[in-house]
Amino acid sequence: MTAIVKVDRNGIITCWNAAAEQLFGFTELEAIGNPLELIIPQPSHACHRQGFASYIESGVKTLPDTVTAVGRHKDGQLVKFQISTTAVVDAEGMVAG
């Protein structure tokens, strides 16, 4: 099963499936409406915010198509996983999420 986590252009989680719940330990109700930093270890927050903001503004991905990343489980443990990103674009071609 593939974990699916969608965020809006502000980095707020808008979609969270059962596989994401299993991987990170947060229920859908706990995750949706929170910033993506919920599952990013604290030392990586600034780097994530900078990269995400650049991606939203420019539409240019800085990550490879698939990359191994480290996330944070609800219990505080680190979780290694592979991430693939896909932009959702609006009618004007701007990154919406």
Side-chain angles (χ1 to χ4, degrees), residues 13 16 18 22 27 35 46 54 94:
I13 298 168
W16 186 266
Q22 288 179 338
T27 67
S54 175
M94 300 296 293

Side-chain angles (χ1 to χ4, degrees), residues 5-22:
V5 177
K6 294 181 184 178
V7 296
D8 65 14
R9 63 179 296 111
N10 296 310
I12 302 301
I13 298 168
T14 60
C15 179
W16 186 266
N17 73 354
E21 185 172 327
Q22 288 179 338

